[in-house]
Amino acid sequence: MFCFQCQETAKGKGCTVKGVCGKEETTSNLQDLLIYNLKGIAVLAEGLKAGGVDVGRDVGLFVAKGLFTTITNANFDDTSLVLWIKQSLEVKKELKDKLDALTPGPAKDSLLKKIVGLFVAPPEAAGEIALHDSALWFDDNEPNYQKKAQTVGVLATQNEDVRSLRELLILGLKGVAAYADHAAVLGVEKDEIYGFLLKALASTTEDLSVDEMVGLVMKTGECAVTTMAALDEANTNAYGNPEISEVNIGVGDKPGILISGHDLKDMEELLKQTEGTGVDVYTHGEMLPANYYPAFKKYSHLKGNYGSSWWKQNEDFETFNGAILMTTNCIIPIKKKNTYKDRIFTTGVVAYPGIKHISAIEDGRTKDFSGVIKVAKNCAPPKEIETGTIVGGFAHNQVLALADKVVDAVKSGAVKRFVVMAGCDGRQKGRAYFTEVAEKLPQDTIILTAGCAKYRYNKLNLGDIGGIPRVLDAGQCNDSYSLAVIALKLKEVFGLEDINDLPISFDIGWYEQKAVAVLLALLFLGVKGIRLGPTLPAFVSPTVLNVLVDKFDIKPIGDVDADIEAMMQGK
Ligand code: FSO
Ligand code: SF4
C-alpha cells in the first residue's frame, strides 16, 4: 500500500504497511482500485461528452460518492469497498454500452480514438500504462482486485512532481466531492460541479504540462468555492440561517443518541424519528454546528453537544453510554475492548467491519433509524463529563447582521486583527500550537473559525470585545465558505482592492482532504500568506511547494510567539 493523503501519514512521507489512521493494507489497495475505476468512468464520460452524448447527473453523483468514501476516516470496510468497485464497473459498462450503441461511422471512430488515444501513456513512461487503461478494465473477479490494485495506486505515476500535482488535484476533488454529496442529499446539484469532477479526474490520466496541471489545481479551488456555496444554499434553504446560539455541553437524564459527522439531512431525520420516544439527541465533533440552525433548535430533545473532536471519540463514546450514529468521517478504529461497538451505527459513505450500517431506502435519501432508537432505549443516560455552554452560530448571515458593530470595532481600533484558525483538529501533539495561539493572541483580536479545529480553543472562555465574542464559530469545515463571504464583505465595506489588505491573518490546521479543498478555495480567492500546520502535506513535492510559496506565500506554522508577532504585523 501507499497512502499519503492526510496530515498524519507515517513519518510525514506515506503509510506503507498500515495506515496511522488504522486503515489496513487491503483496504487501502481497494480504495486505490476504486479511484482507478472512477478515473475510468471519468475518461469514458469525457469521451462521450466530446461526442455529444450526455452522461447525466447520476454518473457525476456516483463519482462524487465514490471519491467521498475514500476520504480519510470514512470507510474501513473491505466488503463495502468491493461493492463500490463492482458498482463502478457497472457504471463503466453502461457508459461503454452507450459508446457501442453509437452509429458506426467516422464520428464514432474519432470518439473511440479520443477515448483510447487521448489517454495513452507517453512513450517514456511505459510503467505508467496501468493508469491509462482505467476506462477499459472490466475484470469483476474479486480475487484479482488486490493484485490489480498494486499496479494502479499513487506510485504508478513515477515522476514526483507530476504525482504531486495529480494527487493535489485528486485530494482536492475528494473534498469537493464530499461537499457536493451533502448538497445533493438536500436536493441541490449543479452540473458544473459534476462536470468539473469528471473533467479533472480524467485529466489525471493524461500527459499534461505542469502549467496545465497547476491550472486545474487552481480550478479545483474555484469549484470548491462553487460547491461550498451550493452546500450553504442547500443547508440554509432547508434549515434556515445559523444564528447565535448557546449550546449546552452537559447532559440530561434520559438515554441518548450521539450523532457525529457532517450530514445535516441525517440530523433532520434522526430528530424527527426520535421525537416523543423518550430518547434525547446530542451532537458530537463536526455535528456541533447543527445546534445553530433554527430548524433543529426547535426540537427540545436536541440536548446539546457531548464531548470533543473526532479523535477523542474512543473516550467520549464510552462515557456517552447510548447509541451512536456516524454520518461521515471521522470514524476511528473500534477496538475489541470498546464497549460501544454494539451501539454504534454507520450510514452514508461511512463503513466499518462488523458495525451495523444503515442504508437509505428507495428514494436514496430517507433513512430508517428505528434500529438506532431501539438500541438507545436500552442504554443508560450519558455520563456527565463537563457542564456549561459554548457559543456559536456566526455564519455569514449572522455576522453580516452584526456588520455595523464589527466595522465600528475595527474603525475605533477595538479590534486590531482577525485570525482565521479554521480547519481540522487531530491527535498530533503539535496541534497544541493552535490552543497556545488562541491563548496568547492579544485581547484586541478576534478568532474566526470553522471545522473541528475549533475544539482546540472553543472552551477557553476568551471573552469578548464590546459584546462580540473573541471566537466566532461559523460552523462545519464547509462553512469556511462563510468566512470567505465575511472577508469579501469586509473588503467591500472598507473599500479595499485586495483581500490581503484586510486586517486578517490565516493560521490553518489541516488533517484530511476536505481541508485541501478549503485551502484551494482560499488560494482561488486570492488569499496570500496562509500559515499551514501542524506539518505541510506529504503529497506536495519540493518543486510544487516552491510554486505555492512563490505564488501564494504559503508557510508552515512555526513558533507561537513569533507567528503571533508576525501576524499582528500583517505578515
Ligand atoms: Fe474534522 Fe474529520 Fe470537518 Fe474533516 S471531523 S477532520 S476537514 O473530517 O471534515 O473538520
Ligand atoms: Fe496514512 Fe492518512 Fe492514508 Fe490513513 S489516510 S493510510 S493515516 S496517509
Side-chain angles (χ1 to χ4, degrees):
M1 68 174 279
F2 183 83
C3 181
F4 62 174
Q5 67 175 355
C6 82
Q7 185 272 326
E8 66 179 356
T9 194
K11 300 187 180 126
K13 288 195 157 42
C15 298
T16 54
V17 183
K18 182 183 176 173
V20 175
C21 61
K23 187 163 75 177
E24 298 291 345
E25 174 162 37
T26 51
T27 316
S28 183
N29 289 342
L30 290 171
Q31 291 186 354
D32 286 348
L33 190 59
L34 176 57
I35 298 278
Y36 173 72
N37 278 297
L38 298 177
K39 286 180 184 173
I41 291 172
V43 167
L44 286 165
E46 280 301 287
L48 280 165
K49 201 166 91 193
V53 180
D54 179 26
V55 296
R57 282 186 170 172
D58 288 356
V59 173
L61 184 58
F62 178 80
V63 169
K65 283 182 186 291
L67 286 170
F68 189 6
T69 205
T70 68
I71 220 163
T72 300
N73 292 341
N75 194 337
F76 289 87
D77 186 7
D78 289 4
T79 313
S80 156
L81 285 159
V82 164
L83 284 176
W84 272 104
I85 291 167
K86 292 203 177 283
Q87 269 180 286
S88 69
L89 288 172
E90 278 168 29
V91 176
K92 261 196 327 194
K93 180 81 179 43
E94 278 167 30
L95 296 179
K96 180 74 173 26
D97 287 348
K98 274 193 181 182
L99 195 67
D100 292 342
L102 294 180
T103 324
K108 184 176 176 181
D109 287 350
S110 79
L111 190 55
L112 274 173
K113 215 165 147 199
K114 193 169 174 61
I115 290 173
V116 182
L118 248 184
F119 305 106
V120 290
E124 71 279 9
E128 299 186 11
I129 196 77
L131 277 183
H132 306 282
D133 69 356
S134 58
L136 308 169
W137 184 75
F138 285 100
D139 184 355
D140 69 351
N141 190 13
E142 197 190 316
N144 296 338
Y145 285 4
Q146 289 294 329
K147 203 164 161 225
K148 178 71 181 170
Q150 283 163 24
T151 66
V152 301
V154 169
L155 298 179
T157 301
Q158 286 159 5
N159 179 297
E160 187 190 25
D161 298 324
V162 175
R163 185 194 306 146
S164 178
L165 285 166
R166 281 182 180 167
E167 291 307 313
L168 181 53
L169 179 64
I170 291 174
L171 301 179
L173 292 179
K174 287 191 184 189
V176 168
Y179 296 149
D181 180 49
H182 287 311
V185 169
L186 294 173
V188 175
E189 292 184 89
K190 301 227 187 279
D191 291 329
E192 62 182 296
I193 297 172
Y194 294 152
F196 182 75
L197 277 182
L198 294 171
K199 181 183 159 191
L201 203 52
S203 83
T204 63
T205 69
E206 292 179 65
D207 182 28
L208 300 181
S209 70
V210 167
D211 280 354
E212 285 171 317
M213 285 189 280
V214 171
L216 280 160
V217 167
M218 288 303 117
K219 274 261 170 214
T220 308
E222 182 176 10
C223 185
V225 174
T226 309
T227 313
M228 284 193 278
L231 180 52
D232 184 73
E233 177 195 327
N235 286 341
T236 53
N237 282 348
Y239 308 120
N241 275 298
E243 53 195 31
I244 303 178
S245 310
E246 267 195 42
V247 181
N248 174 37
I249 54 173
V251 297
D253 56 7
K254 291 186 185 141
I257 295 173
L258 190 57
I259 174 169
S260 193
H262 305 71
D263 195 308
L264 296 186
K265 176 73 179 155
D266 287 337
M267 182 75 195
E268 178 190 2
E269 285 295 324
L270 185 67
L271 284 171
K272 277 188 193 157
Q273 292 177 34
T274 42
E275 201 170 18
T277 61
V279 170
D280 287 335
V281 173
Y282 296 79
T283 56
H284 186 264
E286 270 284 71
M287 199 54 89
L288 159 65
N291 291 282
Y292 312 153
Y293 285 89
F296 300 140
K297 287 169 76 170
K298 69 175 191 217
Y299 291 98
S300 59
H301 67 296
L302 172 57
K303 286 292 168 201
N305 192 68
Y306 187 86
S308 185
S309 73
W310 65 271
W311 60 280
K312 297 265 187 71
Q313 67 190 246
N314 270 165
E315 295 111 80
D316 291 346
F317 291 1
E318 288 294 345
T319 54
F320 183 72
N321 293 331
I324 298 142
L325 179 64
M326 291 302 305
T327 66
T328 69
N329 55 335
C330 288
I331 187 171
I332 65 173
I334 301 166
K335 302 185 187 103
K336 279 208 184 93
K337 63 170 195 200
N338 290 137
T339 64
Y340 67 81
K341 62 181 177 298
D342 298 324
R343 46 185 170 85
I344 183 169
F345 297 77
T346 61
T347 188
V349 300
V350 191
Y352 197 86
I355 298 301
K356 288 175 251 22
H357 183 84
I358 297 165
S359 301
I361 44 185
E362 284 125 44
D363 60 2
R365 290 184 192 164
T366 318
K367 289 176 185 169
D368 176 4
F369 293 127
S370 56
V372 190
I373 298 168
K374 196 169 157 212
V375 166
K377 280 185 174 167
N378 290 318
C379 291
K383 180 182 169 193
E384 187 173 87
I385 50 174
E386 56 192 343
T387 56
T389 57
I390 41 182
V391 180
F394 297 94
H396 56 90
N397 189 68
Q398 181 65 79
V399 175
L400 297 184
L402 299 170
D404 290 347
K405 211 172 169 179
V406 174
V407 170
D408 287 349
V410 175
K411 284 188 173 155
S412 73
V415 172
K416 288 260 164 31
R417 183 154 281 273
F418 297 91
V419 179
V420 176
M421 287 216 288
C424 318
D425 194 12
R427 327 170 231 238
Q428 216 166 41
K429 289 211 170 59
R431 289 182 188 265
Y433 163 95
F434 295 103
T435 311
E436 268 187 65
V437 169
E439 282 168 337
K440 288 184 165 178
L441 272 169
Q443 292 296 316
D444 50 13
T445 54
I446 285 182
I447 297 170
L448 301 174
T449 193
C452 55
K454 64 170 92 46
Y455 282 103
R456 285 281 164 179
Y457 46 79
N458 67 346
K459 295 174 185 168
L460 288 181
N461 262 328
L462 294 173
D464 66 80
I465 302 176
I468 308 168
R470 286 198 54 233
V471 177
L472 300 183
D473 176 22
Q476 297 181 337
C477 43
N478 47 291
D479 294 308
S480 301
Y481 169 74
S482 254
L483 303 181
V485 171
I486 294 166
L488 292 171
K489 185 72 192 169
L490 288 177
K491 180 184 124 187
E492 187 189 311
V493 172
F494 288 110
L496 300 171
E497 287 286 309
D498 186 342
I499 197 168
N500 296 297
D501 294 336
L502 281 168
I504 299 185
S505 301
F506 290 78
D507 202 9
I508 307 284
W510 83 284
Y511 173 64
E512 46 89 342
Q513 300 78 57
K514 288 184 228 173
V516 178
V518 171
L519 180 70
L520 295 177
L522 292 175
L523 299 184
F524 167 73
L525 292 171
V527 176
K528 295 209 165 108
I530 296 173
R531 282 184 171 72
L532 192 63
T535 53
L536 294 181
F539 51 83
V540 173
S541 70
T543 317
V544 174
L545 182 61
N546 279 342
V547 174
L548 294 178
V549 172
D550 276 359
K551 276 184 127 161
F552 302 104
D553 189 24
I554 282 195
K555 41 200 153 215
I557 61 167
D559 170 72
V560 171
D561 295 314
D563 280 2
I564 291 177
E565 202 185 322
M567 286 192 281
M568 292 309 289
Q569 290 170 16
K571 291 181 190 156

